Amino acid sequence: MLRDPAPREAIPFGIAAFRIAGYVLWPFGRTTVEKPDAGAPSCIGNVIWVIFAGWWLALAHIATSIPLFLSIIGIPFGWANLKMIPISLMPLGREVVPTDEKFGGR
C-alpha cells in the first residue's frame, strides 16, 4: 500500500525556497502579502532563515539591483529585484498574490 505524501507543513524551508524561485522567475504583476494565520512557527522559522540564508539573499538583491539601475533597460528589473527583498529576507508566513497594477501601464 502506498503512503500518503508528506504534508506541506513538513518541509517549510523547501516550500519557501520554491516560492522565492517562482517569484524570481516572474515578479511582474505580483506582490507578497503576509498570511494572517501564520503563527509562531513561521516566526521561529523566519529567525532561522534570516540567520542562515535571508541576510545574504537580501544583500545580493540589493547588490544586483544597483548595476541594473545604471541602464535604462535594466530599471524595471532593478525595481523587481528590490521587490524580492522582503520575501527573500523572511519568506515563511508570506504568500505571492497577483496585483491589479499593470507592468508598464500608462
Side-chain angles (χ1 to χ4, degrees):
M1 175 148 222
L2 295 174
R3 292 180 5 165
D4 289 334
R8 291 186 65 172
E9 293 82 17
I11 48 172
F13 295 111
I15 298 218
F18 281 113
R19 186 180 312 122
I20 292 170
Y23 191 53
V24 167
L25 185 63
W26 193 255
F28 306 113
R30 302 190 309 168
T31 188
T32 61
V33 294
E34 292 183 20
K35 291 182 184 177
D37 59 346
S42 65
C43 181
I44 294 167
N46 277 333
V47 170
I48 294 169
W49 181 275
V50 167
I51 292 170
F52 290 107
W55 66 272
W56 63 268
L57 283 173
L59 287 176
H61 284 300
I62 292 170
T64 55
S65 68
I66 293 169
L68 287 170
F69 281 118
L70 297 178
S71 70
I72 293 174
I73 295 171
I75 292 173
F77 297 106
W79 280 116
N81 229 348
L82 292 179
K83 277 178 48 176
M84 291 178 223
I85 292 174
I87 196 167
S88 64
L89 191 60
M90 292 201 263
L92 301 175
R94 298 186 73 87
E95 62 183 337
V96 179
V97 296
T99 63
D100 292 335
E101 297 177 17
K102 302 293 182 202
F103 177 71
R106 297 175 202 221

